[in-house]
Amino acid sequence: MTKSRKWVSFLILSMTGGVIYQVAYIRFVFLGPTAQALDLSAQDYANIISVFGIVAMVMYFFGGWFADKFSPKVLVVTALVGTGVADLYLGSVPGYWGILAAHVLMAVMGMGLYWSALVKAIGMLGDSSEQGRLFGFLEGVRGVTSTVVGFVGTAIVASSVAEAAGVLWLIRLYGVLCFVYAVLVWLFVKGDEQRLAGLGSSTVTLRQLGRAARNKYTWLIGGTVMLMYCFYTTLGYFSPLLEHQYGMAAALIGVIGVVRTYVFQFVAGPAGGVVVDKVTRSTPRFLRWMFAGCAGVALLFLVLPRDSAFKWVALALMFALCLLVFASRGVYWAQVGEVEVPENERGGVIGLASGLAYLPDAFLPTVSAWWIGDPSAKPAVPEHGGGYTTLFLFLLAMALLGVGLTTLTDRTRRRELAAHAARTVPEAAPVAP
C-alpha cells in the first residue's frame, strides 16, 4: 500500500467516528429539543436512552467476535449503512416503539459491528511502531470531525423556526452522512491483509473473562471508569440547568453543548496524557486529582444560587468539570498497561471492566430524568425526585468514591512494586573473615 493511500484510508475511517454516533448521543447537545422533536416526554426519552445503553454494553462483548469473523471494511460499511437507516427512520418520528427499535439498531451497529472493526482497520494501517501515533490521531480526527459537524448542526437548529423541527432535519442529515461515508469507505479504504492477520484475535472468551474476574485490577479499573463515567453520562443534563435555572440564552445552549461534548474531547484528552507522562507518572494518582476536582465542582454547584446573576459562574464550573472528565477519559484505560496486566489476560480484563465501566449508561439517564423532571416546568425543581440537588449530591458521592478507589489502586500497585523490588535485590555477600 502506498503512503498516500494509507493516509487517505486512515482519514476516511477516522472521520466516520465523528458521524456514526451523532444521533445516538445527540442528547449531549440537544436534550430537551430532541425529546420534543420525537414527541416523547423527557422520562420516555431517558428510558429509551437507558435501553440503548444496555444493548450497547452487551454488544461490546460481541464486537471482537464480529471483527474476527468478517472483514473490518465490510463491517464498517454495514454499520454505517445500518446507522443511516436507523437515523432516517428516527427522523420520521415513528412513535415510541419505533424510536426504541431505532436506538437498539444503533447500539448493535455502533458497538457490535463498528467499534472493534474500526480498531482492527486502523491497526492494520501501520506496524507496531506506528500504533500509538495512529490511535492518537484517530481521536484527534474524530474530535475535529465531531466538532465541525456539531457546529453545522447547531446552525441548522438555530436557523429553524422551531428547535424541534431543526433537530429532525439534523437527524436526517446525519443519516445521509452515514451513507456518504459508507460509500467513501467502500471505494477508497484499503487494508494490508498480512498486517491484519498479525493483529491476532479480538474475541473475548469465557476463559479470559473467568481469569479477569479473579484479577483485582479488573474491578479497580472498571470501578474507577464507572465512577467517572457517571459524570460523563450526566453532562447532557447541564443544558436544561443552564437554560431554565440560570437563564442562559437558548441560542447559546447548542453552541455550549458542542464545545462541552466535542471540543474538550480533542483538547483535554491529550493534555491529560501529557500530565500523566510528565507530572504524576501514575494514572491512578492523576485520576485521584481529577476526582477531587469533580468533587469540588459538584459541591460548588450544590451551594451556588440558582439565579441568572450566576449564569457565567455556572458555565465556568461546567467547563471546568468537562476539562476534568475528558482529561480522565483520555487516560483511564492506560491503567491496564501501567499495572502490567499480562498480555494474554488484557482482552478479558478490558472486556469485563468495560461492562462494569459503562454500566451508568444503562440506568443513569432514566434515574436522572426522574430526579430532574421537566426543567422548563414551573416550579423548575420537581418535588418527587429532588431535582438537581439530588443529582449533584449523587455526583459528589461518586467523586469521593473515586478518590478512595484510585488511592487504593495506587497503593496496591506500589506495594506490588516494592515486593517485586525486594525479591530481586540480591542478598548481601557474606563478610570475609
Side-chain angles (χ1 to χ4, degrees):
M1 185 192 307
T2 64
K3 191 172 182 178
S4 60
R5 178 168 286 184
K6 164 185 164 179
W7 288 108
V8 167
S9 298
F10 171 80
L11 188 62
I12 293 173
L13 285 170
S14 299
M15 291 175 74
T16 64
V19 172
I20 193 169
Y21 296 119
Q22 289 288 341
V23 174
Y25 293 99
I26 196 172
R27 67 185 187 274
F28 284 104
V29 182
F30 303 107
L31 178 64
T34 302
Q36 294 170 14
L38 297 176
D39 198 23
L40 296 171
S41 68
Q43 187 66 63
D44 283 344
Y45 183 43
N47 293 342
I48 288 173
I49 293 170
S50 289
V51 173
F52 169 85
I54 293 170
V55 178
M57 186 172 61
V58 173
M59 283 297 107
Y60 274 118
F61 290 99
F62 290 96
W65 183 86
F66 282 115
D68 288 344
K69 296 295 182 183
F70 303 99
S71 160
K73 176 179 174 178
V74 171
L75 287 176
V76 170
V77 171
T78 303
L80 286 166
V81 171
T83 302
V85 170
D87 292 350
L88 293 179
Y89 180 62
L90 201 63
S92 69
V93 194
Y96 181 88
W97 294 107
I99 294 167
L100 179 62
H103 278 78
V104 169
L105 180 60
M106 286 190 288
V108 173
M109 294 293 109
M111 284 67 178
L113 271 61
Y114 174 79
W115 181 247
S116 292
L118 177 69
V119 170
K120 274 212 162 185
I122 294 292
M124 71 180 179
L125 293 176
D127 57 31
S128 58
S129 66
E130 298 176 284
Q131 295 301 301
R133 197 181 341 156
L134 285 171
F135 283 98
F137 279 110
L138 167 64
E139 282 302 304
V141 174
R142 284 179 65 202
V144 171
T145 305
S146 297
T147 302
V148 172
V149 172
F151 277 125
V152 171
T154 301
I156 290 173
V157 174
S159 63
S160 301
V161 176
E163 279 190 325
V167 167
L168 286 180
W169 280 109
L170 184 56
I171 289 172
R172 295 162 189 152
L173 173 62
Y174 289 149
V176 172
L177 284 175
C178 284
F179 286 116
V180 170
Y181 275 101
V183 172
L184 291 175
V185 170
W186 185 257
L187 293 178
F188 297 107
V189 169
K190 306 296 179 182
D192 188 324
E193 296 302 320
Q194 288 185 332
R195 283 180 180 162
L196 176 61
L199 292 177
S201 175
S202 301
T203 304
V204 179
T205 65
L206 291 176
R207 180 177 295 179
Q208 286 177 311
L209 290 176
R211 284 200 300 264
R214 296 190 294 272
N215 189 322
K216 57 184 175 295
Y217 286 117
T218 300
W219 307 103
L220 290 171
I221 294 171
T224 297
V225 180
M226 180 188 71
L227 293 169
M228 186 58 76
Y229 203 76
C230 288
F231 284 88
Y232 174 73
T233 202
T234 54
L235 285 177
Y237 293 94
F238 283 74
S239 291
L241 172 71
L242 292 174
E243 181 177 0
H244 299 296
Q245 298 200 14
Y246 285 102
M248 190 71 67
L252 289 176
I253 295 299
V255 175
I256 291 170
V258 172
V259 174
R260 179 186 61 217
T261 307
Y262 303 125
V263 173
F264 279 98
Q265 178 184 11
F266 67 84
V267 172
V274 171
V275 174
V276 169
D277 288 345
K278 304 296 184 182
V279 182
T280 66
R281 302 188 184 279
S282 165
T283 303
R285 207 169 301 151
F286 172 77
L287 291 173
R288 184 168 59 205
W289 289 6
M290 300 299 100
F291 276 117
C294 288
V297 172
L299 185 60
L300 288 171
F301 265 118
L302 278 170
V303 300
L304 187 69
R306 308 276 170 77
D307 187 274
S308 60
F310 296 93
K311 63 183 177 183
W312 300 112
V313 177
L315 180 62
L317 285 175
M318 187 199 71
F319 280 159
L321 184 63
C322 291
L323 181 64
L324 298 167
V325 170
F326 281 96
S328 302
R329 278 171 60 83
V331 301
Y332 47 45
W333 290 114
Q335 294 178 98
V336 174
E338 191 173 308
V339 301
E340 297 181 298
V341 173
E343 289 283 349
N344 64 343
E345 295 182 23
R346 289 188 182 184
V349 168
I350 292 174
L352 187 55
S354 295
L356 177 63
Y358 301 121
L359 188 61
D361 261 351
F363 72 90
L364 201 49
T366 291
V367 175
S368 296
W370 184 81
W371 284 336
I372 295 165
D374 183 358
S376 62
K378 303 298 181 184
V381 180
E383 295 180 359
H384 67 276
Y388 279 99
T389 298
T390 303
L391 176 62
F392 289 126
L393 282 171
F394 169 79
L395 292 178
L396 177 59
M398 296 302 99
L400 294 176
L401 285 173
V403 170
L405 204 58
T406 49
T407 299
L408 179 60
T409 305
D410 187 37
R411 289 180 179 176
T412 300
R413 181 58 181 161
R414 279 192 286 172
R415 282 198 298 268
E416 285 185 347
L417 292 174
H420 178 72
R423 288 194 302 268
T424 56
V425 172
E427 296 183 4
V431 179

